[in-house]
């Protein structure tokens, strides 16, 4: 018959595969019969052996030889074919090794017990689970040793690796700098740009081990991933997605099946930007939903990695604060579009003369000054990069590491987020271009303001006190830089603190003996009132204690009568 011919064709096609590994397929067939038979106890009395049977597989990678204090050991995606109970076991020559397991569909990390991966029931999903192992390397790391992970389950089918062999080499971008406190408690902000989909791991640590920190990844200033820690924090897995057209993305999702990065692209967009209650489906797009999407989706991805201090837990001592003040002065100097010396030089040339005419400085010279300024800023940036490589470890500092696959090194670029600083510089340059000499005029008006108030303070002080600051005042031949230092260090105009002083009366009253007697009488009355209240409370408590004792005596008498 037709059914027999179809069955014989199927058997002929599958028989060579079954015959190649007959024992394995026989065990699978027997287990299928036992699981799906209605008379399990009658057919197989050996089914109780299932309680003691386990299957496992090992994955091992050699440890990298690195001088860094932190290393990413293992990061791979495993696909779970069906629901299974799984126990991951790590054998590491480094004691401080931690295994993170992240569900790629939800982006949530599975729970741990005593910093070890707990036993969980893994459900099948679309994107699989990412296993990430990190380690804090000791001072003398073992040479030539291997890290091994064993996956133990009671099921014959174990999670499958998404690639043939696990990788053990990664590209690590490390950024180090000093900690400068800010009003927003931000430690640093770094911009991440990718030209292709990149799987990354972010690690952040501080020189002070007890600092509470929060590491966040923002996309268009919206938080898409974060984690908190104490002196050390890691975002184990995050997919940085490149900016591509949605149609191209959808076609690529349909052509590349089983690609966790492409599926994650749609998942991230669905969970972070679509409406609530809308189910995200991989590789599909609804035209009606595209019309209702917010305008930020068309702007593409703009990833920023930022770290912040929580609860003001990073305290600095006096020497560290002095060092921080010096760093702030350097930052203020970098924020200036035109340096102080150039402003004073331009103030002597660009300021109008006594007859009301401006100096006829050619524009070419000004352009040359701008080129010199660019050279100075480039030199400053180079010195700043050299400062990052040679940090003083005794000062408060931090370290940021961005880890990606070796093959994706050219696809990811991480740089310091200077957008706000660039905006301020652009505004200052626009002001200067609209009004030549604006910065010099502002400097001159500031110095004039300080001189006026300094002169007013000198007239109100005694002659003996006025001689001492007069010795520090700059002479007419003093250079503008020294003059600026003396002017900024002078005393400022006295402030009126009377609105902030708490008063009981509008006019002060002299305290004489009569007022002292009245106040002493009021205090004695308060003391007597307090003692009276206290005596009443003590008497009430004593009466309550007597009542309780009387109640206990009556209860005991009642109990004795009941016994009789």
């Amino acid at each position: 018959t037709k059914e027999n011919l179809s069955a014989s064709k199927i058997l002929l096609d599958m028989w060579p595969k079954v015959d190649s590994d007959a024992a394995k397929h026989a065990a699978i067939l027997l287990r299928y019969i036992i699981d799906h038979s209605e008379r399990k106890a009658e057919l197989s009395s050996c089914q109780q052996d299932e309680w003691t049977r386990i299957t496992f597989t090992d994955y091992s990678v050699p440890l990298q030889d690195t001088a860094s204090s932190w290393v990413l050991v293992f990061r791979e995606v495993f696909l779970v074919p069906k629901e299974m109970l799984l126990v991951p076991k790590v054998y590491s020559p480094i004691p401080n090794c931690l295994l993170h397991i992240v569900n790629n569909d939800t982006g949530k990390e599975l729970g741990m017990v005593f910093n070890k991966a707990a036993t969980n029931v893994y459900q099948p999903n679309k994107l699989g689970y990412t296993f990430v192992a990190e380690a804090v390397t000791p001072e003398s790391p073992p040479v030539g040793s291997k890290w091994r992970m064993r996956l133990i389950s009671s099921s014959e089918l174990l999670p499958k690796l998404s690639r043939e062999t696990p990788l053990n080499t990664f590209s690590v971008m490390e950024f180090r700098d000093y900690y400068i406190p800010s009003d927003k408690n931000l430690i640093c902000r770094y911009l991440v740009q990718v030209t292709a989909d990149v799987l990354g791991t972010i690690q952040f640590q501080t020189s002070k081990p007890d600092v509470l920190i929060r590491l966040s990844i923002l996309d268009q200033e919206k938080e898409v991933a974060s984690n908190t820690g104490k002196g050390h924090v890691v975002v184990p897995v995050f997919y940085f997605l490149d900016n591509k057209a949605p149609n191209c993305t959808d076609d690529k999702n349909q052509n590349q099946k089983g690609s966790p990065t492409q599926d994650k692209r749609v998942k991230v967009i669905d969970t972070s930007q679509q409406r609530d209650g809308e189910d995200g489906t991989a590789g599909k797009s609804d035209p009606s939903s595209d019309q209702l999407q917010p305008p930020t989706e068309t702007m593409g991805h703009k990833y920023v990695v930022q770290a912040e201090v929580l609860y003001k837990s990073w305290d600095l001592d006096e020497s560290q604060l002095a060092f921080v003040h010096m760093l702030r002065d350097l930052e203020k100097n970098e924020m200036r579009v035109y340096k102080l010396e150039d402003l004073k030089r331009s103030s002597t040339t660009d300021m109008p003369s006594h007859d009301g005419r401006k100096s006829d400085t050619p524009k070419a010279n000004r352009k040359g000054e701008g080129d010199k300024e660019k050279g100075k800023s480039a030199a400053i940036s180079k010195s700043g990069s050299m400062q990052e490589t040679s940090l003083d470890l005794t000062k408060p500092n931090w370290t940021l590491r961005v880890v990606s696959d070796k093959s994706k090194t050219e696809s990811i670029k991480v740089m310091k987020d200077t957008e706000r600083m660039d905006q301020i510089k652009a505004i200052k340059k626009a002001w200067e271009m609209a009004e030549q000499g604006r910065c010099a005029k502002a400097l001159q008006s500031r110095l004039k303001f300080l001189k006026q108030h300094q002169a007013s303070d000198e007239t109100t002080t005694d002659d003996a006190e006025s001689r001492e600051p007069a010795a520090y005042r700059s002479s007419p031949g003093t250079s503008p830089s020294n003059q600026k230092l003396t002017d900024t260090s002078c005393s400022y105009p006295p402030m009126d603190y009377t609105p902030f002083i708490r008063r009981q009366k509008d006019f002060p009253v002299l305290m004489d003996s009569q007022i002292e007697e009245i106040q002493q009488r009021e205090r004695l009355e308060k003391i007597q009132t307090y003692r009276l209240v206290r005596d009443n409370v003590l008497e009430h408590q004593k009466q309550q204690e007597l009542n309780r004792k009387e109640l206990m005596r009556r209860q005991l008498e009642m109990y004795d009568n009941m016994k009789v």
Side-chain angles (χ1 to χ4, degrees):
T1 62
K2 188 176 181 179
E3 290 79 5
N4 292 338
L5 292 174
S6 177
S8 102
K9 184 179 180 180
I10 294 173
L11 290 174
L12 288 174
D13 292 340
M14 64 177 291
W15 184 251
K17 301 177 182 178
V18 174
D19 196 16
S20 61
D21 195 355
K24 176 182 176 182
H25 291 88
I28 294 174
L29 181 60
L30 178 61
R31 186 168 294 105
Y32 180 82
I33 294 173
I34 292 174
D35 292 341
H36 294 79
S37 176
E38 297 179 357
R39 299 184 301 167
K40 294 182 180 180
E42 298 178 6
L43 290 177
S44 55
S45 59
C46 63
Q47 65 173 349
Q48 296 181 358
D49 295 341
E50 290 289 325
W51 293 99
T52 59
R53 186 185 66 87
I54 62 170
T55 57
F56 65 89
T57 182
D58 289 347
Y59 298 92
S60 63
V61 292
L63 290 176
Q64 303 179 23
D65 296 334
T66 177
S68 178
S69 60
W70 178 87
V71 63
L72 184 66
V73 181
F74 183 85
R75 186 182 66 191
E76 291 295 337
V77 178
F78 287 86
L79 304 176
V80 178
K82 67 174 186 178
E83 180 180 328
M84 64 178 67
L85 181 68
L86 192 65
V87 182
K89 179 70 175 177
V90 174
Y91 301 92
S92 173
I94 301 177
N96 297 327
C97 184
L98 197 61
L99 179 65
H100 305 270
I101 303 174
V102 180
N103 187 345
N104 293 335
D105 282 10
T106 61
K108 295 182 179 180
E109 184 177 352
L110 301 186
M112 293 186 181
V113 178
F114 299 113
N115 288 333
K116 292 184 179 180
T119 303
N120 287 297
V121 177
Y122 290 74
Q123 303 291 339
N125 58 2
K126 295 180 180 180
L127 307 178
Y129 297 83
T130 303
F131 288 65
V132 181
E134 57 163 328
V136 178
T137 57
E139 295 181 357
S140 57
V143 180
S145 56
K146 286 190 174 184
W147 178 91
R148 182 161 54 97
M149 180 182 67
R150 174 170 293 177
L151 300 180
I152 307 171
S153 177
S154 59
S155 174
E156 184 70 23
L157 295 176
L158 289 171
K160 298 179 181 178
L161 197 63
S162 61
R163 67 181 87 194
E164 294 181 0
T165 56
L167 298 179
N168 64 330
T169 56
F170 302 96
S171 174
V172 182
M173 288 177 284
E174 184 173 305
F175 305 91
R176 306 178 67 185
D177 204 348
Y178 295 111
Y179 167 64
I180 301 177
S182 64
D183 297 336
K184 297 181 179 180
N185 297 323
L186 286 179
I187 303 177
C188 65
R189 276 175 63 96
Y190 275 80
L191 185 66
V192 181
Q193 296 178 351
V194 293
T195 57
D197 296 340
V198 176
L199 175 63
T201 299
I202 316 296
Q203 188 262 351
F204 188 85
Q205 68 181 33
T206 56
S207 59
K208 190 177 180 182
D210 57 347
V211 178
L212 296 175
I213 49 180
R214 178 183 180 88
L215 182 63
S216 307
I217 301 177
L218 309 179
D219 186 6
Q220 296 291 349
E221 297 302 326
K222 292 183 179 180
E223 186 178 292
V224 291
S226 65
N227 204 355
T228 57
K230 190 174 183 180
H232 168 91
V233 62
V234 175
V235 176
V237 179
F238 187 79
Y239 287 94
F240 294 99
L241 310 177
D242 61 335
N243 296 322
K244 292 182 179 179
N247 295 333
C248 300
T249 304
D250 298 337
D251 296 336
K252 203 168 185 180
N253 289 337
Q254 294 176 1
N255 295 332
Q256 297 183 0
K257 294 188 296 182
S259 174
T261 304
Q262 299 297 335
D263 293 341
K264 187 67 178 179
R265 171 202 303 281
V266 180
K267 189 67 180 179
V268 169
I269 293 175
D270 289 344
T271 55
S272 62
Q273 295 179 352
Q274 286 186 354
R275 302 184 306 272
D276 294 336
E278 185 176 358
D279 296 332
T281 57
K284 296 181 181 179
S285 63
D286 189 4
S288 61
S289 62
D290 291 339
Q291 297 176 0
L292 299 177
Q293 288 174 354
T296 55
E297 185 169 354
T298 61
M299 296 172 62
H301 299 286
K302 182 183 177 183
Y303 296 108
V304 174
V305 177
Q306 75 173 17
E308 52 187 329
V309 181
L310 299 179
Y311 311 114
K312 299 181 180 180
S313 55
W314 199 336
D315 297 329
L316 304 177
D317 55 18
E318 293 183 359
S319 62
Q320 292 175 347
L321 286 175
F323 182 73
V324 166
H325 289 320
M326 183 188 69
L327 293 178
R328 281 178 175 169
D329 293 339
L330 292 176
E331 279 192 353
K332 290 179 181 178
N333 191 21
E334 291 182 0
M335 283 286 292
R336 290 194 179 100
V337 179
Y338 300 95
K339 303 303 178 187
L340 196 61
E341 293 80 5
D342 297 338
L343 287 178
K344 290 172 180 177
R345 191 184 306 113
S346 62
S347 65
T348 59
T349 58
D350 292 342
M351 287 296 290
S353 58
H354 293 288
D355 55 357
R357 292 177 297 175
K358 275 193 175 181
S359 62
D360 49 352
T361 304
K363 294 184 179 180
N365 294 343
R366 295 174 185 172
K367 185 176 180 181
E369 291 177 1
D371 296 335
K372 290 180 182 179
E373 187 60 36
K374 291 180 182 178
K376 289 181 181 179
S377 62
I380 291 173
S381 63
K382 289 181 181 178
S383 64
S385 62
M386 292 179 62
Q387 183 183 5
E388 290 182 359
T389 57
S390 59
L391 285 180
D392 186 2
L393 299 181
T394 60
K395 307 298 182 183
N397 61 84
W398 49 264
T399 305
L400 174 68
R401 296 182 180 92
V402 181
V403 186
S404 61
D405 291 342
K406 206 76 172 177
S407 59
K408 299 286 187 178
T409 305
E410 302 297 331
S411 301
I412 184 170
K413 185 179 180 182
V414 183
M415 64 192 76
K416 192 172 182 180
D417 184 18
T418 59
E419 182 179 0
R420 179 60 179 165
M421 189 180 296
D422 294 340
Q423 289 178 355
I424 295 174
K425 287 184 177 181
I427 293 173
K428 290 182 178 180
K429 285 183 178 179
W431 288 347
E432 187 67 21
M433 290 177 64
E435 183 181 353
Q436 289 290 338
R438 180 189 177 98
C439 295
K441 292 177 183 178
L443 177 63
Q444 293 296 329
S445 62
R446 179 176 181 273
L447 295 177
K448 183 179 179 181
F449 173 79
L450 293 176
K451 285 180 180 179
Q452 288 177 355
H453 286 282
Q454 182 182 9
S456 62
D457 292 340
E458 289 175 355
T459 55
T460 55
T461 54
D462 297 330
D463 294 336
E465 294 178 354
S466 63
R467 291 194 193 98
E468 187 175 355
Y472 293 97
R473 288 202 304 271
S474 60
S475 60
T478 309
S479 62
S481 59
N482 295 334
Q483 186 178 0
K484 194 259 179 187
L485 291 175
T486 55
D487 289 336
T488 54
S489 61
C490 69
S491 60
Y492 292 97
M495 292 186 64
D496 184 15
Y497 296 104
T498 52
F500 308 103
I501 298 175
R502 183 180 297 175
R503 297 179 180 274
Q504 294 181 353
K505 296 182 179 180
D506 296 335
F507 301 98
V509 179
L510 179 63
M511 181 177 290
D512 53 3
S513 59
Q514 184 178 1
I515 295 179
E516 288 183 355
E517 290 179 0
I518 294 174
Q519 291 182 352
Q520 186 175 4
R521 192 182 308 114
E522 292 177 354
R523 286 195 293 269
L524 290 175
E525 290 178 357
K526 288 182 179 179
I527 294 173
Q528 291 177 359
T529 305
Y530 171 77
R531 286 178 177 175
L532 181 61
V533 173
R534 182 176 179 276
D535 293 340
N536 292 334
V537 171
L538 291 176
E539 186 178 356
H540 182 66
Q541 291 180 351
K542 188 175 181 181
Q543 185 64 33
Q544 284 185 343
E545 185 178 0
L546 293 176
N547 294 337
R548 286 194 298 270
K549 289 182 178 180
E550 180 66 21
L551 182 60
M552 291 172 60
R553 186 183 63 79
R554 292 179 181 177
Q555 289 178 350
L556 290 174
E557 289 181 357
M558 184 184 298
Y559 178 69
D560 293 338
N561 294 334
M562 291 174 65
K563 288 173 62 177
V564 172

